[in-house]
Amino acid sequence: MTNQTIEKPPSIPSRPSGIKTVLAYTGIPPSWLDKRPKLPSRNWLIFLSVTSSVVGLYIYDRRECKNIRQSYIDRVKHLAEVPIDPFEAPRRVTVYGAKWPADEDYDQSIKYFRKYVKPILVAAAVDYEMIPGKRHGDIAKRVAEDVRIRRRLAVGLDQDHEAKKILPTYKPLAEREKRDLEGGVIIIGRPTLKEYMAGLRKGWMRGLEKIDADEELSRVLENDTYFDEPDEPEDFGEDASPDSRQAPLSPQSSPPTFRLPPLPPLLLVPFTNYIGISQIPLMIWGFFNQRNKVRAGAESAYRLVMSNTRPIEVPETLTDTVSPTDDTSGEAHAPAQGDLDFNKEVEGYYKKSLDKFPEDVEKIRQKYYEALPAKLATARELARGSREPTKQELENPPPTEVELRAERLKKERRWRDDVEGWDIIKPSSNVAWDERFRSALRVFVDHEDESDAGPSETS
């Protein structure tokens, strides 16, 4: 018998499922439909794990931020439903935010207020006025000027404008002061506290007369010889006294002895601004822990809304500067100063280069004065017609002597203000204090039912 090959019958192709049949008509390649799922590779597993963890941390943190903020809004929103008279203004607070050292963005503290404190105040129908400090010392000058104006109105030296008195919303000075006491002052960060207290002490210790800073500085600058006519070019400006450039703008007046009236209570809001490459890990940590800032801002706003205050706590003996000790660590220490030590730990995050800030300003000043004689000589030669202007001078006229004087006054004003402002907020300077503040200042504190405030974080 011959071997006969038995052929197998052709296999019947499996009938595709309904979903495959439908997807086949959509243009999807059949190989994609027949592909079996499998575990990702090692690299994909690492990528997916890291990505999902980062996204999970971000989503969890922002969800907690929303819950914390909403919990405090629910606790104060009933205050916004209280009806008031049409001509009665709501409760109003003043927000001060000083420039953070070495940060070109001067309104970081105001941004912190808007993001973390403002939502609770808006929910409670509390009005606010924001006053940012663009340069060091701006808050101190603003507060001192406001105190001076208030004192002049109180003693009758100045009067409100007649156009203001005819308005239906006009309130006399006594009612405005009462409204200020019911409102309060919000202090964002330690630099703001130092500037505010310095301005407060300056405003209550100085006289009531208005001082034109530019005019007074001009009188001080008249003592040097930078713009005098030189007998010999090589002797130009050598008789200028460095002490005249550093002379104070106004003499210190003797402190008054009267008792201060009650001042608006203070809400101290902690604030830290991380700057520099060395603080990048702290920035990353803060990005994924925004809920801590939301909770701190909401708790601060809730203290103000509930209006629970106490007298400011300051020890009897204070010093103006931090004096170093003789310990081996070499660190500077100072006695505890109560509420004046608010947020003091953030001064450790200042850039170390700021320790030489006055020296850097002095170098810039010296460089300017070294180039000034040549500019002044050119301006006088062209003004007197001693020589013809060059082609470059015709295309770009050099500054005249009048413009050089104005430029010098503006620069000196800025240099002095910067150094004076830094002297206020530098870590080696304590918060300005006057014993009369002890009975006039109060601080917002936690409400009695603060123990059950806010939801607890879940892990």
Side-chain angles (χ1 to χ4, degrees):
M1 293 182 59
T2 62
N3 293 333
Q4 297 181 355
T5 59
I6 302 176
E7 296 181 356
K8 296 182 179 180
S11 60
I12 302 176
S14 60
R15 185 176 181 180
S17 62
I19 186 65
K20 287 186 177 181
T21 303
V22 173
L23 294 177
Y25 290 97
T26 61
I28 299 177
S31 60
W32 288 19
L33 300 177
D34 297 335
K35 196 170 185 178
R36 294 177 176 270
K38 63 179 181 179
L39 289 177
S41 62
R42 180 181 66 89
N43 293 341
W44 271 106
L45 287 176
I46 295 175
F47 171 77
L48 293 176
S49 300
V50 174
T51 304
S52 59
S53 299
V54 172
V55 173
L57 287 174
Y58 177 83
I59 295 176
Y60 168 78
D61 180 70
R62 297 311 186 265
R63 184 182 60 189
E64 287 296 314
C65 291
K66 183 178 180 180
N67 294 338
I68 294 172
R69 184 181 292 111
Q70 188 61 41
S71 67
Y72 280 92
I73 290 177
D74 294 338
R75 300 178 66 183
V76 301
K77 65 181 181 181
H78 67 280
L79 300 175
E81 302 173 358
V82 178
I84 61 175
D85 187 85
F87 296 105
E88 182 182 355
R91 184 182 175 189
R92 186 182 182 90
V93 298
T94 305
V95 184
Y96 291 101
K99 178 179 179 294
W100 188 266
D103 193 351
E104 297 299 330
D105 194 358
Y106 63 87
D107 60 345
Q108 284 296 323
S109 56
I110 295 297
K111 291 180 180 179
Y112 183 90
F113 164 79
R114 289 173 177 166
K115 187 173 182 180
Y116 302 111
V117 183
K118 170 186 170 183
I120 312 303
L121 300 184
V122 173
V126 177
D127 196 6
Y128 57 88
E129 177 187 6
M130 297 181 296
I131 302 178
K134 295 184 177 181
R135 304 190 68 84
H136 298 319
D138 285 355
I139 297 296
K141 290 187 290 186
R142 172 65 180 267
V143 173
E145 182 64 15
D146 291 344
V147 171
R148 188 190 66 84
I149 295 175
R150 171 184 174 180
R151 292 173 60 193
R152 290 182 63 89
L153 291 173
V155 299
L157 295 178
D158 292 336
Q159 300 293 334
D160 294 327
H161 198 274
E162 294 298 330
K164 186 178 180 181
K165 293 183 179 179
I166 64 177
L167 297 176
T169 56
Y170 172 75
K171 301 293 182 182
L173 179 61
E175 295 188 18
R176 296 202 302 267
E177 291 180 349
K178 181 180 178 182
R179 183 166 175 254
D180 292 339
L181 294 177
E182 294 174 353
V185 173
I186 299 180
I187 305 295
I188 309 295
R190 185 167 181 81
T192 308
L193 175 64
K194 286 189 171 183
E195 289 200 29
Y196 178 82
M197 295 299 293
L200 205 62
R201 186 173 69 172
K202 181 180 179 180
W204 285 105
M205 293 183 65
R206 294 289 180 90
L208 298 178
E209 65 280 357
K210 184 177 181 180
I211 300 176
D212 190 340
D214 291 337
E215 182 179 354
E216 191 173 3
L217 178 59
S218 298
R219 292 197 300 266
V220 174
L221 297 180
E222 289 177 355
N223 299 329
D224 58 40
T225 60
Y226 281 106
F227 284 88
D228 293 348
E229 290 286 350
D231 295 335
E232 296 179 0
E234 61 271 17
D235 296 334
F236 187 85
E238 291 184 357
D239 295 335
S241 173
D243 297 335
S244 64
R245 302 198 304 264
Q246 304 293 341
L249 296 183
S250 59
Q252 295 286 344
S253 59
S254 59
T257 58
F258 56 84
R259 182 182 179 89
L260 296 185
L263 301 176
L266 305 180
L267 175 66
L268 305 179
V269 181
F271 168 66
T272 306
N273 187 17
Y274 299 117
I275 297 177
I277 298 178
S278 62
Q279 298 183 18
I280 289 180
L282 297 175
M283 300 179 193
I284 298 175
W285 173 263
F287 178 79
F288 290 103
N289 289 273
Q290 293 287 312
R291 57 188 180 276
N292 297 331
K293 298 180 181 179
V294 172
R295 183 181 297 277
E299 289 176 353
S300 300
Y302 186 73
R303 295 189 196 105
L304 185 140
V305 171
M306 294 293 102
S307 299
N308 188 29
T309 62
R310 60 162 173 79
I312 189 170
E313 296 180 354
V314 178
E316 297 292 338
T317 304
L318 289 177
T319 58
D320 293 335
T321 58
V322 178
S323 58
T325 59
D326 296 333
D327 59 359
T328 56
S329 62
E331 298 180 354
H333 301 278
Q337 297 186 346
D339 290 331
L340 301 185
D341 282 339
F342 158 75
N343 217 195
K344 189 174 182 178
E345 64 279 359
V346 304
E347 294 179 342
Y349 296 108
Y350 293 174
K351 283 189 173 182
K352 300 302 181 182
S353 58
L354 291 173
D355 296 338
K356 299 181 180 180
F357 181 79
E359 290 80 0
D360 295 339
V361 173
E362 185 60 29
K363 290 179 181 178
I364 297 175
R365 177 189 277 117
Q366 292 178 358
K367 185 177 180 181
Y368 169 77
Y369 280 111
E370 289 174 358
L372 180 61
K375 297 180 181 179
L376 187 57
T378 301
R380 287 173 174 170
E381 289 175 357
L382 296 179
R384 296 168 182 173
S386 302
R387 64 175 177 85
E388 293 295 328
T390 62
K391 182 179 180 180
Q392 184 178 4
E393 291 174 347
L394 290 175
E395 296 176 354
N396 300 300
T400 63
E401 183 175 353
V402 176
E403 293 174 344
L404 288 174
R405 288 179 181 272
E407 180 189 33
R408 187 253 187 127
L409 178 65
K410 182 178 179 180
K411 288 182 176 293
E412 278 289 347
R413 176 79 268 168
R414 182 170 181 174
W415 291 330
R416 291 167 183 263
D417 288 346
D418 288 345
V419 175
E420 182 181 357
W422 172 247
D423 289 340
I424 293 175
I425 68 172
K426 63 183 180 181
S428 59
S429 297
N430 286 335
V431 180
W433 178 252
D434 189 287
E435 281 300 321
R436 294 173 297 167
F437 295 156
R438 194 180 299 276
S439 59
L441 280 178
R442 300 184 67 87
V443 178
F444 288 102
V445 293
D446 293 334
H447 197 251
E448 285 79 1
D449 60 347
E450 189 71 14
S451 58
D452 56 353
S456 59
E457 296 184 12
T458 58
S459 58

